[in-house]
């Protein structure tokens, strides 16, 4: 389209093709979208200090670098294409006024400019160079030039309004190109006429004489919307304004209201005074009806040149802001350079080069569609940024401009998206795909920023809401999941254990707990805060979905109690405590050998202390360790004791030959209490559940469960096996059952036991669910425990990990060391082993 479609005769172009009714609808829709966006722009602009970049700066600081960088590039391209659009439009207007008419070889009078693709490209290059010179001087000369142009346009507008009343009806001869050269048609300026008004009320879409393309609602709206996209011109200059938070809202709202009123007034005047032929076939008809035609020509040229400069300087400021934020690294490093006065001259030059490349297309309608789509996408994202800030309910979002709500933001987003696809589904889809590619590239390649991420505020808002809805009184065993608290003394010796427990959590809560033995009263500040970043970096590098909870305490036992009481929030609290095993093995630094760190190109600074020397004293005694287990059981927490998990090479175990697949051995019987060998108590079922949960983890799905059923002669082993098989079927657990005779092992126990096999349990014993391991600690001999250990060890092939029943600690605290000694004997040499004690029902056979 010609220059005039973007300036004063834009309403005539719209009315000529769409009619007054549709034109008014187009203006309402366009300015509704723009109005909603303006409210969002004003809200964000008045919420803090603005810097260079305009909409890019607003979006990036609100939605983060990924969205900001992506939209920044698209907004830069929109301004670049917009500048090219106005330059090409101005060239077309100049050629229309001074070009040699089609079919003539030599010019006459003022019509002296040759017309061809290359000549028009030359004219556009000259005009663009003029824009470049103004922008290189700086924002001050641009502001003065813009103000001068505003005065000229205001004078032209006044002249045109007077002309509608002062000019008498005239016939305008219109020379139109066709396949045979050219033809002449007559258009009429009738003055105010009811017949003319009625004829122009309805739509009458026709071929655009400048492009030869049939116009439609979407194509007319696309061109018309480009005349309304200047609302971001002021915000693009945010870095050059003295008080952007004051100037942007007032200037933008005033400009939108003024142009809306002017467009509607001109549309009505043109509809009532100009016939459709004049409106459709002569986009320069305002010169013909003006009382002073040269002034209209000068005003049109000045306004279009101003629009081209506005887009060029806006593109340069966006490019400069992108370069300064280092989102694209060295690719935009050149655009950071500025003049002594602070003008980003290299960004201006780079923007000019891109505009020059766009000029080679020479297709105004094509550029118009792309520009409109890009601007709509930017406007939608500005509304999205404001909506996100409003929904996040952050206390620091306190804009002084309060005439907006989340409803206006949603309406703006919906309007932009609908119009994008209405104008050009192909361009809209391509733009969204391009935006998605930029988002992914920036997400993985851009450095982290310190701007703050709105996603974190939104997540906090939603998590708080859903945590309040998570009612512990509505818990049901059908939906039980493990929620782990893993106590870690030093991550250097626990990397594989941390990874293993991550597989056990089954989408539940996972907390890494650590106790620092210090007294806050004796310290100047909290020593845990500096450690927090190292722990979080560890979680990131190990790729585990865990929280970190650190505490100060006078002893490890007190610290674990604190964490068991305070970790979690609402319905998300640890229900299972996981401890490493207490033994005399020298700790090994597995962190350096862990694949997550061995393959890292850059060393992650982790301020963890070195591994404890073998001769160095431990931080807790055997009695305190068993006391932690007893405390957890009293607090109705399940307990897992993990031994030799640092020797578990999960990658090797799970990638070795498919035949035979790795196995998980499960011993659901209390091996330290052969006189109570039950398979269906709470603890045994919890043990089965944990083994099944591990098998359900993605990394362990190839593994096979093997369940060992310890039987004695004359105890009907097949009946026990069938009963256990039915239990597994009811629980939907797939496992191979293997009968294990253990008469020789239990005989060692009965030799020292004061009752015969099958006799009543010693007095003082209590049922499962209370203290079930009192005096039995002294009744089980080391010889028996070693035999039980040998029985477990003999089952081949060797599994990847074993699950064993953990008996409850004795009620007599003086027996804690003996209890721990028996656990050590039972698990000695077994490799990766997990001792399990459950206190809560976790299995269900219901739907």
């Amino acid at each position: 389209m010609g220059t005039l479609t973007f300036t004063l005769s834009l309403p005539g172009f719209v009315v000529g093709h769409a009619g007054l009714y549709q034109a008014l609808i187009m203006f309402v829709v366009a300015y509704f979208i723009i109005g909603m966006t303006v409210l969002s722009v004003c809200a964000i602009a008045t919420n803090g200090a603005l810097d260079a970049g305009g909409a890019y700066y607003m979006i990036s600081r609100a939605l983060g670098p990924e969205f900001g960088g992506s939209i920044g590039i698209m907004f830069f391209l929109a301004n670049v294409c917009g500048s090219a659009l106005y330059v090409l439009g101005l060239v077309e207007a100049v050629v229309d006024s001074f070009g040699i008419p089609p079919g003539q070889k030599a010019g006459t009078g003022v019509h002296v400019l040759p017309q061809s693709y290359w000549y028009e490209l030359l004219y556009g290059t000259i005009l663009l160079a003029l824009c470049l010179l103004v922008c290189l001087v700086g924002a001050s000369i641009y502001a003065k030039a813009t103000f001068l142009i505003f005065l000229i346009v205001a004078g032209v507008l006044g002249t045109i309004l007077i002309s509608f009343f002062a000019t008498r009806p005239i016939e305008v001869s219109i020379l139109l190109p066709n396949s045979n050269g050219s033809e002449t048609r007559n258009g009429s300026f009738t003055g105010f006429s009811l017949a003319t008004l009625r004829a122009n009320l309805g739509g009458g879409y026709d071929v655009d004489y400048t492009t030869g393309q049939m116009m439609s609602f979407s194509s007319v709206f696309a061109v018309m919307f480009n005349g309304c996209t200047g609302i971001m011109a002021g915000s693009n200059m945010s870095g050059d304004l003295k008080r952007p938070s004051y100037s942007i809202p007032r200037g933008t709202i005033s400009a939108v209201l003024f142009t809306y009123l002017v467009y509607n007034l001109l549309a009505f005047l043109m509809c009532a005074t100009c016939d459709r032929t004049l409106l459709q076939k002569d986009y320069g008809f305002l010169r013909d009806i003006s009382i002073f035609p040269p002034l209209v020509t000068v005003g049109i040229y000045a306004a279009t040149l101003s629009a081209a400069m506005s887009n060029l300087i806006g593109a340069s400021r966006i490019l400069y802001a992108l370069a300064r934020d280092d989102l694209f690294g060295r690719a935009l490093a050149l655009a950071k350079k500025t003049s002594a006065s602070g003008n980003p001259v290299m960004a201006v030059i780079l923007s000019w080069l891109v505009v020059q490349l766009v000029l080679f297309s020479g297709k105004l309608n094509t550029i118009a569609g792309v520009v409109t789509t890009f601007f709509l996408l930017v406007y939608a994202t500005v509304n999205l940024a404001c909506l996100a800030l409003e929904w996040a309910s952050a206390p620091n979002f306190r804009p002084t401009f309060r005439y907006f709500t989340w409803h206006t933001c949603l309406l703006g987003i919906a309007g932009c998206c609908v119009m994008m696809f209405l104008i050009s589904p192909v361009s809209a889809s391509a733009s969204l795909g391009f935006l998605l590619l930029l988002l992914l590239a920036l997400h993985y390649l851009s450095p982290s920023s310190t701007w703050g991420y709105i996603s974190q505020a939104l997540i906090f808002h939603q998590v708080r809401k859903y945590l309040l809805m998570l009612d512990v009184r509505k818990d049901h065993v059908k939906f039980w999941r493990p929620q782990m608290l893993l106590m870690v003394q030093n991550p250097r010796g626990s990397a594989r254990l941390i990874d293993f427990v991550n597989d056990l959590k089954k989408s539940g809560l996972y907390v890494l707990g650590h106790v620092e033995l210090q007294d806050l009263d004796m310290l100047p500040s909290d020593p845990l805060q500096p450690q927090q970043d190292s722990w979080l970096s560890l979680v990131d590098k190990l790729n585990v979905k865990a929280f970190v909870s650190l505490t100060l305490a006078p002893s490890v036992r007190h610290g674990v109690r604190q964490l068991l009481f305070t970790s979690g929030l609402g319905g998300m609290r640890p229900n299972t405590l996981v401890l490493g095993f207490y033994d005399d093995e020298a700790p090994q630094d597995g962190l350096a050998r862990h694949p997550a760190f061995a393959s890292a190109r850059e060393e992650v600074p982790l301020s963890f202390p070195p591994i404890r020397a073998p001769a160095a004293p431990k931080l807790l005694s055997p009695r305190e360790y068993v006391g932690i287990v007893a405390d957890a059981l009293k607090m109705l927490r399940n307990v897992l004791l993990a031994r030799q998990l640092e020797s578990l090479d999960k990658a090797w175990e799970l990638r070795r030959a498919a035949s035979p697949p790795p196995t998980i051995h499960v011993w659901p019987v209390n091996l330290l209490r052969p006189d109570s060998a039950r398979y269906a108590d709470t603890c045994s079922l919890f043990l089965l559940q944990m083994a099944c949960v591990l098998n359900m983890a993605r990394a362990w799905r190839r593994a096979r469960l093997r369940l060992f059923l310890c039987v004695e002669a004359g105890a009907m082993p097949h009946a026990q096996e069938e009963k256990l098989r039915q239990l597994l079927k009811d629980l939907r657990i797939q496992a191979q059952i293997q009968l294990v005779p253990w008469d020789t092992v239990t005989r060692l126990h009965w030799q020292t036991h004061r009752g015969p096999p099958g006799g009543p349990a010693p007095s003082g014993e209590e049922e499962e669910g209370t203290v079930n391991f009192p005096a039995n600690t002294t009744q089980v001999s080391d010889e028996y425990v070693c035999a039980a250990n040998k029985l477990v060890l003999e089952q081949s092939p060797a599994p990847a990990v074993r699950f064993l029943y953990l008996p409850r600690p004795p009620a007599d605290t003086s027996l804690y060391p003996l209890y721990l000694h028996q656990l050590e004997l039972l698990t000695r040499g077994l490799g990766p082993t997990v001792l399990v004690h459950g206190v809560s029902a976790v299995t269900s056979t219901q739907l």
Side-chain angles (χ1 to χ4, degrees), residues 336-362:
K336 294 182 184 179
K337 297 183 179 181
T338 61
S339 64
S341 60
N343 186 31
V345 290
M346 291 308 302
V348 172
I349 293 173
L350 290 173
S351 302
W352 167 74
L353 286 173
V354 180
V355 175
Q356 184 64 56
L357 291 175
V358 177
L359 288 180
F360 280 96
S361 69

mmCIF file of all heavy atoms in Angstrom, residues 336-362:
data_model
loop_
_atom_site.group_PDB
_atom_site.id
_atom_site.type_symbol
_atom_site.label_atom_id
_atom_site.label_comp_id
_atom_site.label_asym_id
_atom_site.label_seq_id
_atom_site.Cartn_x
_atom_site.Cartn_y
_atom_site.Cartn_z
ATOM 1 N N LYS A 336 27.003 -3.276 21.627
ATOM 2 C CA LYS A 336 27.159 -2.619 22.928
ATOM 3 C C LYS A 336 27.849 -1.259 22.826
ATOM 4 O O LYS A 336 27.732 -0.434 23.726
ATOM 5 C CB LYS A 336 27.980 -3.498 23.878
ATOM 6 C CG LYS A 336 27.330 -4.792 24.281
ATOM 7 C CD LYS A 336 28.236 -5.532 25.244
ATOM 8 C CE LYS A 336 27.694 -6.887 25.614
ATOM 9 N NZ LYS A 336 28.599 -7.612 26.539
ATOM 10 N N LYS A 337 28.581 -1.020 21.738
ATOM 11 C CA LYS A 337 29.408 0.175 21.657
ATOM 12 C C LYS A 337 28.537 1.416 21.496
ATOM 13 O O LYS A 337 27.601 1.448 20.708
ATOM 14 C CB LYS A 337 30.393 0.049 20.492
ATOM 15 C CG LYS A 337 31.378 -1.102 20.670
ATOM 16 C CD LYS A 337 32.395 -1.157 19.540
ATOM 17 C CE LYS A 337 33.396 -2.304 19.763
ATOM 18 N NZ LYS A 337 34.398 -2.370 18.691
ATOM 19 N N THR A 338 28.893 2.450 22.241
ATOM 20 C CA THR A 338 28.139 3.698 22.218
ATOM 21 C C THR A 338 29.074 4.859 21.932
ATOM 22 O O THR A 338 30.302 4.736 22.010
ATOM 23 C CB THR A 338 27.438 3.941 23.567
ATOM 24 O OG1 THR A 338 28.429 4.046 24.606
ATOM 25 C CG2 THR A 338 26.485 2.798 23.899
ATOM 26 N N SER A 339 28.477 5.991 21.615
ATOM 27 C CA SER A 339 29.265 7.212 21.411
ATOM 28 C C SER A 339 29.572 7.836 22.765
ATOM 29 O O SER A 339 29.137 7.346 23.811
ATOM 30 C CB SER A 339 28.481 8.190 20.540
ATOM 31 O OG SER A 339 27.295 8.595 21.219
ATOM 32 N N ALA A 340 30.313 8.939 22.736
ATOM 33 C CA ALA A 340 30.663 9.624 23.986
ATOM 34 C C ALA A 340 29.428 10.117 24.725
ATOM 35 O O ALA A 340 29.406 10.193 25.956
ATOM 36 C CB ALA A 340 31.609 10.788 23.685
ATOM 37 N N SER A 341 28.371 10.426 23.978
ATOM 38 C CA SER A 341 27.136 10.917 24.600
ATOM 39 C C SER A 341 26.206 9.800 25.038
ATOM 40 O O SER A 341 25.129 10.067 25.579
ATOM 41 C CB SER A 341 26.399 11.833 23.621
ATOM 42 O OG SER A 341 26.058 11.125 22.436
ATOM 43 N N GLY A 342 26.611 8.553 24.802
ATOM 44 C CA GLY A 342 25.788 7.414 25.199
ATOM 45 C C GLY A 342 24.866 6.895 24.120
ATOM 46 O O GLY A 342 24.083 5.973 24.365
ATOM 47 N N ASN A 343 24.936 7.447 22.915
ATOM 48 C CA ASN A 343 24.097 6.971 21.821
ATOM 49 C C ASN A 343 24.646 5.638 21.282
ATOM 50 O O ASN A 343 25.822 5.552 20.914
ATOM 51 C CB ASN A 343 24.066 8.013 20.699
ATOM 52 C CG ASN A 343 23.088 7.634 19.594
ATOM 53 O OD1 ASN A 343 22.078 6.995 19.852
ATOM 54 N ND2 ASN A 343 23.397 8.035 18.374
ATOM 55 N N PRO A 344 23.836 4.569 21.228
ATOM 56 C CA PRO A 344 24.318 3.260 20.754
ATOM 57 C C PRO A 344 24.497 3.249 19.238
ATOM 58 O O PRO A 344 23.675 2.690 18.497
ATOM 59 C CB PRO A 344 23.233 2.289 21.216
ATOM 60 C CG PRO A 344 21.998 3.112 21.268
ATOM 61 C CD PRO A 344 22.417 4.489 21.666
ATOM 62 N N VAL A 345 25.587 3.846 18.778
ATOM 63 C CA VAL A 345 25.772 4.040 17.338
ATOM 64 C C VAL A 345 25.888 2.719 16.589
ATOM 65 O O VAL A 345 25.361 2.580 15.477
ATOM 66 C CB VAL A 345 27.019 4.919 17.076
ATOM 67 C CG1 VAL A 345 26.764 6.345 17.514
ATOM 68 C CG2 VAL A 345 28.248 4.361 17.786
ATOM 69 N N MET A 346 26.569 1.724 17.170
ATOM 70 C CA MET A 346 26.717 0.453 16.464
ATOM 71 C C MET A 346 25.380 -0.283 16.354
ATOM 72 O O MET A 346 25.102 -0.932 15.349
ATOM 73 C CB MET A 346 27.752 -0.429 17.176
ATOM 74 C CG MET A 346 29.174 0.087 17.088
ATOM 75 S SD MET A 346 29.694 0.447 15.379
ATOM 76 C CE MET A 346 29.470 -1.120 14.580
ATOM 77 N N ALA A 347 24.550 -0.152 17.384
ATOM 78 C CA ALA A 347 23.216 -0.757 17.297
ATOM 79 C C ALA A 347 22.398 -0.077 16.207
ATOM 80 O O ALA A 347 21.640 -0.738 15.474
ATOM 81 C CB ALA A 347 22.511 -0.650 18.647
ATOM 82 N N VAL A 348 22.550 1.245 16.075
ATOM 83 C CA VAL A 348 21.844 1.975 15.016
ATOM 84 C C VAL A 348 22.310 1.499 13.645
ATOM 85 O O VAL A 348 21.500 1.245 12.739
ATOM 86 C CB VAL A 348 22.062 3.492 15.176
ATOM 87 C CG1 VAL A 348 21.489 4.238 13.970
ATOM 88 C CG2 VAL A 348 21.421 4.003 16.462
ATOM 89 N N ILE A 349 23.628 1.349 13.486
ATOM 90 C CA ILE A 349 24.174 0.935 12.187
ATOM 91 C C ILE A 349 23.736 -0.493 11.845
ATOM 92 O O ILE A 349 23.348 -0.786 10.705
ATOM 93 C CB ILE A 349 25.708 1.051 12.202
ATOM 94 C CG1 ILE A 349 26.120 2.529 12.293
ATOM 95 C CG2 ILE A 349 26.321 0.417 10.965
ATOM 96 C CD1 ILE A 349 27.603 2.753 12.474
ATOM 97 N N LEU A 350 23.783 -1.384 12.834
ATOM 98 C CA LEU A 350 23.356 -2.765 12.588
ATOM 99 C C LEU A 350 21.866 -2.817 12.230
ATOM 100 O O LEU A 350 21.453 -3.575 11.340
ATOM 101 C CB LEU A 350 23.644 -3.627 13.812
ATOM 102 C CG LEU A 350 25.119 -3.910 14.118
ATOM 103 C CD1 LEU A 350 25.263 -4.636 15.443
ATOM 104 C CD2 LEU A 350 25.750 -4.726 12.998
ATOM 105 N N SER A 351 21.062 -2.031 12.924
ATOM 106 C CA SER A 351 19.625 -1.988 12.608
ATOM 107 C C SER A 351 19.404 -1.453 11.196
ATOM 108 O O SER A 351 18.559 -1.961 10.449
ATOM 109 C CB SER A 351 18.892 -1.110 13.628
ATOM 110 O OG SER A 351 19.074 -1.594 14.948
ATOM 111 N N TRP A 352 20.168 -0.422 10.839
ATOM 112 C CA TRP A 352 20.072 0.134 9.482
ATOM 113 C C TRP A 352 20.410 -0.918 8.424
ATOM 114 O O TRP A 352 19.725 -1.019 7.398
ATOM 115 C CB TRP A 352 21.013 1.330 9.375
ATOM 116 C CG TRP A 352 21.244 1.788 7.972
ATOM 117 C CD1 TRP A 352 20.386 2.477 7.172
ATOM 118 C CD2 TRP A 352 22.432 1.553 7.194
ATOM 119 N NE1 TRP A 352 20.953 2.706 5.942
ATOM 120 C CE2 TRP A 352 22.213 2.155 5.920
ATOM 121 C CE3 TRP A 352 23.653 0.937 7.442
ATOM 122 C CZ2 TRP A 352 23.168 2.120 4.923
ATOM 123 C CZ3 TRP A 352 24.606 0.907 6.448
ATOM 124 C CH2 TRP A 352 24.368 1.491 5.197
ATOM 125 N N LEU A 353 21.436 -1.723 8.684
ATOM 126 C CA LEU A 353 21.808 -2.770 7.728
ATOM 127 C C LEU A 353 20.681 -3.778 7.551
ATOM 128 O O LEU A 353 20.392 -4.217 6.421
ATOM 129 C CB LEU A 353 23.081 -3.475 8.205
ATOM 130 C CG LEU A 353 24.387 -2.695 8.055
ATOM 131 C CD1 LEU A 353 25.532 -3.457 8.719
ATOM 132 C CD2 LEU A 353 24.704 -2.445 6.580
ATOM 133 N N VAL A 354 20.035 -4.168 8.646
ATOM 134 C CA VAL A 354 18.953 -5.145 8.547
ATOM 135 C C VAL A 354 17.770 -4.543 7.793
ATOM 136 O O VAL A 354 17.138 -5.209 6.957
ATOM 137 C CB VAL A 354 18.526 -5.626 9.947
ATOM 138 C CG1 VAL A 354 17.398 -6.649 9.840
ATOM 139 C CG2 VAL A 354 19.702 -6.256 10.682
ATOM 140 N N VAL A 355 17.449 -3.276 8.073
ATOM 141 C CA VAL A 355 16.366 -2.621 7.339
ATOM 142 C C VAL A 355 16.697 -2.573 5.852
ATOM 143 O O VAL A 355 15.832 -2.810 4.992
ATOM 144 C CB VAL A 355 16.128 -1.197 7.885
ATOM 145 C CG1 VAL A 355 15.084 -0.477 7.031
ATOM 146 C CG2 VAL A 355 15.675 -1.244 9.330
ATOM 147 N N GLN A 356 17.948 -2.289 5.536
ATOM 148 C CA GLN A 356 18.363 -2.234 4.134
ATOM 149 C C GLN A 356 18.149 -3.588 3.455
ATOM 150 O O GLN A 356 17.721 -3.664 2.293
ATOM 151 C CB GLN A 356 19.831 -1.835 4.037
ATOM 152 C CG GLN A 356 20.361 -1.654 2.623
ATOM 153 C CD GLN A 356 19.682 -0.501 1.884
ATOM 154 O OE1 GLN A 356 19.682 0.627 2.350
ATOM 155 N NE2 GLN A 356 19.092 -0.805 0.745
ATOM 156 N N LEU A 357 18.422 -4.661 4.164
ATOM 157 C CA LEU A 357 18.191 -5.997 3.598
ATOM 158 C C LEU A 357 16.704 -6.238 3.348
ATOM 159 O O LEU A 357 16.322 -6.832 2.326
ATOM 160 C CB LEU A 357 18.746 -7.067 4.551
ATOM 161 C CG LEU A 357 20.266 -7.129 4.692
ATOM 162 C CD1 LEU A 357 20.655 -8.157 5.756
ATOM 163 C CD2 LEU A 357 20.917 -7.494 3.357
ATOM 164 N N VAL A 358 15.863 -5.766 4.274
ATOM 165 C CA VAL A 358 14.423 -5.962 4.101
ATOM 166 C C VAL A 358 13.918 -5.173 2.896
ATOM 167 O O VAL A 358 12.972 -5.598 2.212
ATOM 168 C CB VAL A 358 13.673 -5.551 5.388
ATOM 169 C CG1 VAL A 358 12.163 -5.679 5.200
ATOM 170 C CG2 VAL A 358 14.129 -6.404 6.562
ATOM 171 N N LEU A 359 14.552 -4.040 2.615
ATOM 172 C CA LEU A 359 14.117 -3.228 1.470
ATOM 173 C C LEU A 359 14.213 -3.988 0.155
ATOM 174 O O LEU A 359 13.498 -3.679 -0.800
ATOM 175 C CB LEU A 359 14.957 -1.945 1.376
ATOM 176 C CG LEU A 359 14.697 -0.868 2.426
ATOM 177 C CD1 LEU A 359 15.595 0.326 2.185
ATOM 178 C CD2 LEU A 359 13.234 -0.435 2.408
ATOM 179 N N PHE A 360 15.087 -4.975 0.094
ATOM 180 C CA PHE A 360 15.237 -5.737 -1.144
ATOM 181 C C PHE A 360 13.972 -6.509 -1.504
ATOM 182 O O PHE A 360 13.780 -6.875 -2.656
ATOM 183 C CB PHE A 360 16.420 -6.704 -1.040
ATOM 184 C CG PHE A 360 17.752 -6.050 -1.267
ATOM 185 C CD1 PHE A 360 18.521 -5.632 -0.201
ATOM 186 C CD2 PHE A 360 18.241 -5.834 -2.549
ATOM 187 C CE1 PHE A 360 19.753 -5.027 -0.399
ATOM 188 C CE2 PHE A 360 19.465 -5.228 -2.760
ATOM 189 C CZ PHE A 360 20.227 -4.811 -1.682
ATOM 190 N N SER A 361 13.129 -6.785 -0.510
ATOM 191 C CA SER A 361 11.898 -7.520 -0.815
ATOM 192 C C SER A 361 10.976 -6.696 -1.689
ATOM 193 O O SER A 361 10.367 -7.208 -2.635
ATOM 194 C CB SER A 361 11.176 -7.914 0.475
ATOM 195 O OG SER A 361 10.654 -6.767 1.117
ATOM 196 N N GLY A 362 10.856 -5.401 -1.387
ATOM 197 C CA GLY A 362 10.035 -4.513 -2.201
ATOM 198 C C GLY A 362 8.559 -4.818 -2.163
ATOM 199 O O GLY A 362 7.784 -4.249 -2.935
#
